[in-house]
Amino acid sequence: MATIYVDNKPYVVNEGRNLLQVCLSLGFNLPYFCWHPALGSVGACRQCAVKQFKDEKDKRGKIVMACMTPAAEGVRIAVDDEEARQFRETVIEWLMANHPHDCPVCDEGGECHLQDMTVMTGHNYRKYRFPKRTYQNQYLGPFINHEMNRCIQCYRCVRFYQDYAGGQDLGVFAAHDRVYFGRHKDGVLENEFSGNLVELCPTGVFTDKTLKGHYTRAWDLQTAPSVCVHCGVGCNTTPGERYGLLRRIHNRFNHDVNGYFLCDRGRYGYEFVNGERRVRTPLLKRDGALGPVTRAEALTEIGKVLSGPAVLLGIGSPRASIESNFALRELVGPDRFYDGVSARERQLLSAMLSTLRAPGVHSPSLREVGEADAVFVLGENLAEVAPMIALQVRQAVYRSTVPMGERLGIPAWHDSAIREAIQGRHGPLYLATVTGDKLADVATRSWCAAPDDLARLGFAVAHCIDPTAPSVSDLSEELPGLAKEIAGALRSAQRPLIVSGPSCGSLAVVQAAANVAISLSAAGAQHAALCYDAPECNSFGPALLDGHGLDEALQAAKSGSVYAAIVLENDLYRRADRAAVDAFLEGAEQVVVIDHTVHDTTKRADVVLPAATFAEGDGTLVNNEGRAQRFVQVFKAQGDVQESWRWLGELSRTAPSNGAWQNLDHICTRIAETAPALGEIARVAPAATARFLAQRIPRQAHRYSGRTAIGAHVNVHEPALPEDPDSPMAFSMEGFPSTCSSALTSAYWAPGWNSVQALNKFQAEVGGPLRVGNAGVRLWEVAEGHDHKYFEVIPPAFQSREKEHLAVPLHHIFGSEELSVLSPSVAERAPASYVAVNFRDAEALQITDGENVQLVLDGIPYRLPVRILPDLPSGVVGLPSGLPEMSWVKLPGWGKIVKEVPA
Amino acid sequence: MLSMLRTLWIVFRHAFRRRVTYQYPEQPVPLPPRWRGRIILTRDPDGGERCVACHLCAVACPVDCIALQATEDEHGRRYPEFFRINFSRCIFCGYCEEACPTYAIQLIPDFEMGEYNRQNLVYEKEHLLIDGPGKYAGYNYYRVAGVSIGGKGKGEAENEAPPVDVRSLQL
């Protein structure tokens, strides 16, 4: 700690920070542009000028940039100094000299850091009379809109895009007053974090293109704290709604999870909520066609079967909330509750879950991933599967070089100087994946091999770390050296991290990663961590409820018993073989599907009940680290849409069954009683009865407009506000905008701070955790003791076959996930289906890039164009997983490529 | 007694004064030009809609009686898709006009808006939009702002230099 003097008052502050961060943390309103808590200092904008004095007697002082000056012991500065104030005002006047006169049509308006800072410095009137500099804009793809005239040259965009996110295709061009930020030519921004430019740019150069399509000012959005549903990482989000339409997703700061950033799938996948494929009313099949009915009719129809002789099977879903899955389990009974994932995924998930909950294995939060100093990625193409983990791994390899700079006397926050000093060096990162990963540019070594060989490498690394771990025989030439190198790097690290997961569909890979983690723990590594990514937003949820396997349910069709099925938010055709699902659905007395989107399974249903999406309902999701997080309803959907657990509650009241609940708290209490693994669920967010100064927390900003005109065209008499029985928030602008629970805070605002940077005012230290703590509850913490039980089954080395190829799934950030691909902007970025082949195999098969071939898998032929992937191992072909036009294929599996003979 | 006589005298004298009562509605009421009455949306001198759907009027409105939705034409010119004022809530404070950065929304000297049915006091864009520029004849926002719209590219607004060519040094 150090004592510094600001305006002659002493303050005790953290040492090793810069003056800007310290001043902002102390609550001073000091304007800045180029500095960002996650990006560090560069000193580009000259906005945060303060006056520094040598000592008490120094009355003259000198102007310094706060962001470039260390907060050392005894530093004396003046923020409120006339000369410094004038300096800041003049700087902003220069920055504004060429700023176009377009705030009214600028999407940033109302949450613009430049607007805030201009007001803060007191620059009101324009003195500059000469022509303004202008720029041409670029087309940057479906996510980002470019309006270069508004640029103030703070360099945040390129620093984030290139240095932080590892992007290559956004740069800075030209010099002095003609500096241009963009691509070398028009085209889609390739980096999967480009959407963050929207929040990062302090002005309106980069804005959200999907928001532009249905533009609404930030103050007019109704928001609630939410959690991203497009992968298993569980980033915290703030969805905004207006006129019943979801308008955008913004980042919601959670220091333990996503921090300041989101990936583009999470930011732009939201439009499925507004999509044409939504189910809005109950549907009933009559004469072979589904048609809308009233909810009473639908419930009566289901009630007939519920009270009938048919055995009721409940198929849960990893993309439905815990509450919904639990409600289904309550309705059908634990013996007939199935977790709704494919047999292989179930096997992988349970292996991952049992390893993570074993003593001695630490499952790190996303922030901890970014703090690791040696990383070993086994089997996962992180940039495609869990991009936010990839982003944190990228930070980890950068951060582990910071001590190098610090030895030269450069403080850690001095980002540009550190990067200059380390000259592109990076910490140890070993990638062992099926095909090349985007992280390869910062990897120490990257190695591509078939899943079995990856697992063998993992087992070999574990054996190198701890000789009692099972050893791998007959390693190929390069492997022992590589395994030794990785083991060495992990052993010598303070906070070694292994990242793995289910994406290549191999149990051996998951077990090998577990062995490495166990071996590190056995070797005495105190802070070793094992991060598995989860495929879906609540993959661990149904697994914690001890559901049976989906395949067991599908067997019911063959057993000849009389059964009916309730399918919860799940498209079974994405989980199992088409024929088996067909047989199951046809054999059922009645198929009830509760979902929000029409898909193949709803089309085969007898009754469809409209479920709420994450934006229209409340629930809890468990992410890949075992953190339970609440998403709160953003708006009341039209029609009969309601949460699945509410539908199931209504059904259980019509049937002679137990478990009736009226609101989320009832069901959470019931879960805590019934499922010990989820005992903490009620602690995830305050109960619905909580009040803050005897009031609810408003979902709408205090500047929300149009209350008395929104519905006036329908009826001039304003309707009563919707009730919210599930959370202590109100669908109103009235109430107490308390920020005392981060699980209930969706937007941060402070006087004079209307942009996302208002967050500064709510952090204990700017860039650090929120003052009130971060949202979410970890369901398990690392238990004491070491579990030295290694997985012993080591697969034999991969042998390529003469006529066959091993088909493995290849994931795509845009396209592989079921819901986000329904968003038009994401769909635009999704690839067409293909089969990936490596050079040598292509040569042997005499096929070329783009040529159509037939891939025969399980006897079913798929006609696909070839894509040559040089990194793919020989004897392995890749198939994109989860694309809408591809049906479910059991992967990995052996298939045969047949060259098409031209007719 | 004296005060009664005085009162009578005053009343008598007033009988010969000039009448201040207007025989409304037979006789129109003279209103000052800055009277804050019925709200209109105006057009710029080129005939385009002035409103750029910036939502500032809506947020300035103390009774929240303005609701609108922004949209854009194919060239990027922003305008309101719908623009609704609930005059049964409007208090004619004029804050919307004050907030409007484009002189689009204006309050005019007209108060004759009475309705038997309250629902008829909900005005949509077609009821609000007039064909002229209203009080501010010359102003054309899109000629000043830096965004490009149909017929006006980058660098073609007032007091703008031609767009920077970042490749000017390339041969």
Side-chain angles (χ1 to χ4, degrees):
Chain A
M1 301 302 264
T3 307
I4 65 162
Y5 298 85
V6 184
D7 297 329
N8 283 324
K9 279 191 202 129
Y11 294 93
V12 179
V13 298
N14 283 336
E15 229 162 338
R17 305 282 191 269
N18 61 60
L19 284 176
L20 175 61
Q21 190 178 4
V22 161
C23 285
L24 291 171
S25 301
L26 291 172
F28 289 98
N29 282 339
L30 192 56
Y32 64 92
F33 290 112
C34 65
W35 182 80
H36 186 281
L39 300 181
S41 303
V42 65
C45 72
R46 321 313 285 171
Q47 189 57 63
C48 60
V50 293
K51 201 172 233 183
Q52 188 177 12
F53 301 96
K54 263 192 295 194
D55 47 42
E56 279 172 308
K57 288 173 205 143
D58 183 5
K59 296 285 175 239
R60 204 154 158 223
K62 60 171 181 182
I63 284 188
V64 295
M65 294 308 129
C67 73
M68 301 301 277
T69 314
E73 178 65 36
V75 165
R76 304 187 80 88
I77 54 166
V79 173
D80 189 23
D81 175 83
E82 184 52 28
E83 201 185 348
R85 202 195 54 71
Q86 268 186 12
F87 184 97
R88 297 194 292 259
E89 189 182 331
T90 313
V91 168
I92 223 156
E93 192 173 349
W94 292 331
L95 292 180
M96 296 292 280
N98 289 306
H99 199 69
H101 183 82
D102 66 355
C103 293
V105 289
C106 175
D107 289 359
E108 194 83 356
E111 51 176 346
C112 176
H113 190 57
L114 180 61
Q115 279 180 340
D116 287 351
M117 296 299 107
T118 309
V119 173
M120 188 182 286
T121 51
H123 167 63
N124 296 327
Y125 286 96
R126 190 184 171 76
K127 285 183 263 174
Y128 182 80
R129 294 175 290 116
F130 303 99
K132 289 180 189 177
R133 173 198 59 209
T134 60
Y135 294 105
Q136 295 290 3
N137 300 331
Q138 285 182 328
Y139 167 77
L140 298 179
F143 297 150
I144 299 283
N145 189 59
H146 192 219
E147 184 63 49
M148 190 50 210
N149 280 356
R150 298 171 185 153
C151 181
I152 55 162
Q153 288 82 34
C154 72
Y155 283 73
R156 263 192 193 185
C157 53
V158 286
R159 288 177 62 219
F160 169 77
Y161 198 85
Q162 296 183 353
D163 299 346
Y164 196 91
Q168 305 287 335
D169 60 328
L170 180 84
V172 48
F173 302 90
H176 53 91
D177 69 336
R178 295 145 40 89
V179 171
Y180 188 86
F181 296 87
R183 295 184 88 249
H184 70 294
K185 61 177 186 187
D186 281 26
V188 176
L189 278 179
E190 288 159 11
N191 193 272
E192 57 278 14
F193 302 99
S194 63
N196 291 302
L197 297 175
V198 172
E199 288 181 62
L200 215 74
C201 177
T203 170
V205 178
F206 301 100
T207 48
D208 186 335
K209 203 177 235 177
T210 62
L211 173 67
K212 201 177 163 70
H214 39 232
Y215 184 64
T216 304
R217 290 274 176 222
W219 63 67
D220 278 342
L221 292 171
Q222 177 161 266
T223 61
S226 194
V227 178
C228 180
V229 293
H230 301 299
C231 85
V233 174
C235 295
N236 291 199
T237 57
T238 295
E241 173 270 353
R242 175 90 173 165
Y243 305 134
L245 217 64
L246 196 60
R247 301 291 166 134
R248 74 159 180 205
I249 298 280
H250 244 211
N251 173 64
R252 179 164 67 97
F253 182 81
N254 187 329
H255 189 245
D256 283 338
V257 189
N258 48 315
Y260 290 89
F261 305 115
L262 291 178
C263 75
D264 286 357
R265 177 153 95 191
R267 190 180 294 270
Y268 296 108
Y270 70 92
E271 283 186 281
F272 78 92
V273 175
N274 308 328
E276 308 231 313
R277 282 175 54 183
R278 281 299 302 278
V279 185
R280 300 264 183 206
T281 54
L283 305 172
L284 184 65
K285 189 167 267 174
R286 279 180 186 146
D287 310 324
L290 282 169
V293 289
T294 63
R295 57 190 293 149
E297 278 176 285
L299 289 175
T300 323
E301 195 64 29
I302 301 168
K304 280 183 209 161
V305 177
L306 287 188
S307 50
V311 177
L312 200 57
L313 307 179
I315 297 174
S317 166
R319 66 170 165 85
S321 65
I322 289 187
E323 288 81 355
S324 299
N325 277 297
F326 177 79
L328 181 63
R329 197 180 84 153
E330 287 285 277
L331 180 67
V332 299
D335 296 339
R336 292 192 292 274
F337 172 67
Y338 303 89
D339 58 8
V341 295
S342 68
R344 180 160 296 180
E345 193 177 320
R346 175 183 158 75
Q347 193 186 25
L348 293 166
L349 285 174
S350 64
M352 280 157 49
L353 202 53
S354 59
T355 305
L356 291 181
R357 297 174 75 193
V361 175
H362 175 55
S363 155
S365 67
L366 198 53
R367 173 177 56 82
E368 288 168 318
V369 169
E371 289 166 359
D373 54 357
V375 187
F376 177 32
V377 180
L378 190 62
E380 297 296 283
N381 275 95
L382 287 178
E384 306 289 347
V385 179
M388 284 303 287
I389 299 183
L391 186 67
Q392 283 309 309
V393 167
R394 199 173 274 282
Q395 301 329 302
V397 296
Y398 165 65
R399 275 190 206 140
S400 46
T401 58
V402 168
M404 246 190 257
E406 285 178 321
R407 280 197 288 279
L408 297 169
I410 308 167
W413 47 261
H414 206 320
D415 184 69
S416 58
I418 294 256
R419 284 183 198 273
E420 198 63 41
I422 61 176
Q423 287 290 309
R425 274 172 287 198
H426 39 75
L429 166 64
Y430 294 90
L431 298 178
T433 47
V434 175
T435 176
D437 191 76
K438 279 190 174 166
L439 280 172
D441 62 327
V442 289
T444 318
R445 293 277 291 274
S446 50
W447 187 63
C448 294
D452 282 351
D453 287 344
L454 299 176
R456 286 167 65 81
L457 174 69
F459 283 115
V461 170
H463 180 69
C464 287
I465 295 171
D466 177 15
T468 61
S471 67
V472 187
S473 53
D474 332 314
L475 279 179
S476 59
E477 299 145 26
E478 51 180 334
L479 277 189
L482 182 61
K484 223 175 208 167
E485 189 184 333
I486 298 172
L490 293 176
R491 290 240 22 203
S492 55
Q494 295 287 314
R495 294 175 302 279
L497 169 73
I498 298 101
V499 185
S500 186
S503 76
C504 57
S506 161
L507 183 64
V509 166
V510 167
Q511 293 179 339
N515 268 18
V516 181
I518 296 169
S519 69
L520 281 168
S521 155
Q526 290 289 316
H527 303 287
L530 170 64
C531 173
Y532 282 128
D533 68 59
E536 278 165 274
C537 61
N538 196 22
S539 280
F540 285 158
L544 287 168
L545 287 171
D546 300 323
H548 300 280
L550 176 63
D551 287 21
E552 287 175 47
L554 298 184
Q555 290 298 322
K558 293 178 189 156
S559 69
S561 61
V562 182
Y563 64 95
I566 299 187
V567 182
L568 171 71
E569 301 185 32
N570 207 338
D571 181 4
L572 299 183
Y573 290 101
R574 288 177 69 92
R575 311 283 178 187
D577 181 48
R578 180 160 282 272
V581 177
D582 276 342
F584 173 71
L585 296 179
E586 269 163 32
E589 191 94 327
Q590 187 185 49
V591 178
V592 180
V593 180
I594 310 179
D595 208 344
H596 42 69
T597 307
V598 172
H599 46 65
D600 286 355
T601 310
T602 56
K603 286 176 192 157
R604 306 292 297 264
D606 298 307
V607 188
V608 181
L609 297 177
T613 61
F614 69 96
E616 297 147 345
D618 298 76
T620 311
L621 303 173
V622 180
N623 79 350
N624 68 323
E625 60 159 314
R627 179 183 296 270
Q629 303 187 101
R630 178 71 47 83
F631 58 92
V632 179
Q633 184 172 14
V634 179
F635 65 106
K636 280 267 186 232
Q638 312 132 347
D640 294 314
V641 175
Q642 62 180 8
E643 296 95 336
S644 301
W645 52 263
R646 196 159 251 138
W647 280 118
L648 290 160
E650 282 184 29
L651 286 180
S652 62
R653 279 194 287 282
T654 60
S657 162
N658 51 7
W661 39 78
Q662 303 295 328
N663 67 28
L664 192 75
D665 289 338
H666 293 169
I667 191 166
C668 283
T669 319
R670 183 95 181 100
I671 294 173
E673 286 164 11
T674 326
L678 295 161
E680 299 285 300
I681 194 166
R683 266 200 329 116
V684 172
T689 47
R691 292 293 178 270
F692 306 87
L693 292 185
Q695 294 176 76
R696 285 175 176 265
I697 297 176
R699 282 179 170 84
Q700 300 164 358
H702 60 292
R703 287 175 180 149
Y704 193 83
S705 76
R707 269 187 310 171
T708 62
I710 287 175
H713 59 306
V714 181
N715 187 350
V716 74
H717 303 282
E718 286 112 35
L721 290 178
E723 298 275 320
D724 184 358
D726 304 317
S727 81
M729 297 186 83
F731 295 100
S732 164
M733 59 196 285
E734 287 166 19
F736 180 61
S738 165
T739 51
C740 68
S741 165
S742 51
L744 292 178
T745 309
S746 55
Y748 292 95
W749 178 86
W753 295 77
N754 300 293
S755 75
V756 287
Q757 328 263 343
L759 178 67
N760 291 348
K761 301 279 177 193
F762 299 88
Q763 290 167 314
E765 182 185 23
V766 174
L770 293 166
R771 235 177 263 133
V772 294
N774 300 311
V777 174
R778 277 171 67 99
L779 293 178
W780 60 83
E781 285 303 335
V782 55
E784 288 294 318
H786 301 293
D787 187 358
H788 287 211
K789 245 174 50 196
Y790 287 107
F791 290 101
E792 302 280 348
V793 185
I794 297 171
F798 172 72
Q799 294 289 334
S800 55
R801 296 187 188 173
E802 187 109 333
K803 293 265 170 62
E804 282 187 319
H805 291 80
L806 180 70
V808 294
L810 297 181
H811 294 264
H812 287 275
I813 170 172
F814 306 118
S816 290
E817 198 266 330
E818 184 184 358
L819 298 176
S820 59
V821 78
L822 300 175
S823 211
S825 57
V826 171
E828 204 179 318
R829 296 286 306 275
S833 54
Y834 63 88
V835 54
V837 185
N838 101 350
F839 273 125
R840 271 159 296 166
D841 290 347
E843 233 165 68
L845 290 161
Q846 295 178 324
I847 48 177
T848 50
D849 201 37
E851 183 183 335
N852 280 324
V853 292
Q854 280 207 344
L855 175 69
V856 186
L857 270 169
D858 283 344
I860 306 165
Y862 299 89
R863 189 169 179 269
L864 297 164
V866 171
R867 189 190 277 189
I868 305 283
L869 264 192
D871 297 322
L872 213 58
S874 250
V876 175
V877 296
L879 271 185
S881 77
L883 293 190
E885 69 264 27
M886 296 277 292
S887 57
W888 187 81
V889 191
K890 192 176 180 186
L891 293 175
W894 289 93
K896 201 171 162 188
I897 290 187
V898 185
K899 193 175 154 70
E900 272 195 356
V901 184
Chain B
M1 183 68 195
L2 199 67
S3 90
M4 282 173 70
L5 286 174
R6 190 170 155 270
T7 311
L8 279 171
W9 171 240
I10 289 172
V11 171
F12 177 75
R13 218 177 47 177
H14 272 271
F16 299 98
R17 282 269 180 93
R18 195 166 66 86
R19 300 285 187 271
V20 292
T21 309
Y22 290 98
Q23 293 305 313
Y24 180 82
E26 286 77 25
Q27 193 185 353
V29 182
L31 293 171
R34 289 207 260 174
W35 173 271
R36 300 198 308 266
R38 179 164 61 89
I39 298 173
I40 53 160
L41 289 174
T42 60
R43 292 180 185 274
D44 63 32
D46 298 344
E49 259 179 70
R50 257 183 182 159
C51 176
V52 299
C54 74
H55 293 79
L56 284 182
C57 50
V59 74
C61 179
V63 291
D64 285 341
C65 73
I66 304 178
L68 67 151
Q69 173 59 53
T71 188
E72 271 175 19
D73 71 7
E74 67 272 31
H75 304 295
R77 183 183 173 121
R78 191 165 278 189
Y79 65 97
E81 186 181 329
F82 70 82
F83 194 107
R84 184 179 308 133
I85 299 182
N86 179 356
F87 277 108
S88 74
R89 289 286 187 194
C90 180
I91 56 169
F92 301 95
C93 64
Y95 283 9
C96 49
E97 180 172 5
E98 205 173 296
C100 182
T102 69
Y103 296 139
I105 195 163
Q106 296 177 10
L107 276 73
I108 57 165
D110 172 22
F111 59 83
E112 295 168 326
M113 301 173 67
E115 295 282 353
Y116 286 107
N117 183 354
R118 199 177 145 203
Q119 187 66 48
N120 295 340
L121 284 168
V122 178
Y123 281 37
E124 297 289 340
K125 194 166 87 173
E126 68 256 34
H127 309 123
L128 297 165
L129 189 64
I130 65 159
D131 280 341
K135 295 178 211 170
Y136 308 94
Y139 189 69
N140 189 338
Y141 170 77
Y142 277 114
R143 300 287 144 199
V144 184
V147 290
S148 56
I149 53 161
K152 190 207 80 172
K154 289 284 172 193
E156 289 170 12
E158 287 169 21
N159 207 17
E160 275 191 346
V164 167
D165 176 12
V166 291
R167 290 190 170 79
S168 60
L169 294 178
Q170 279 182 350
L171 295 172

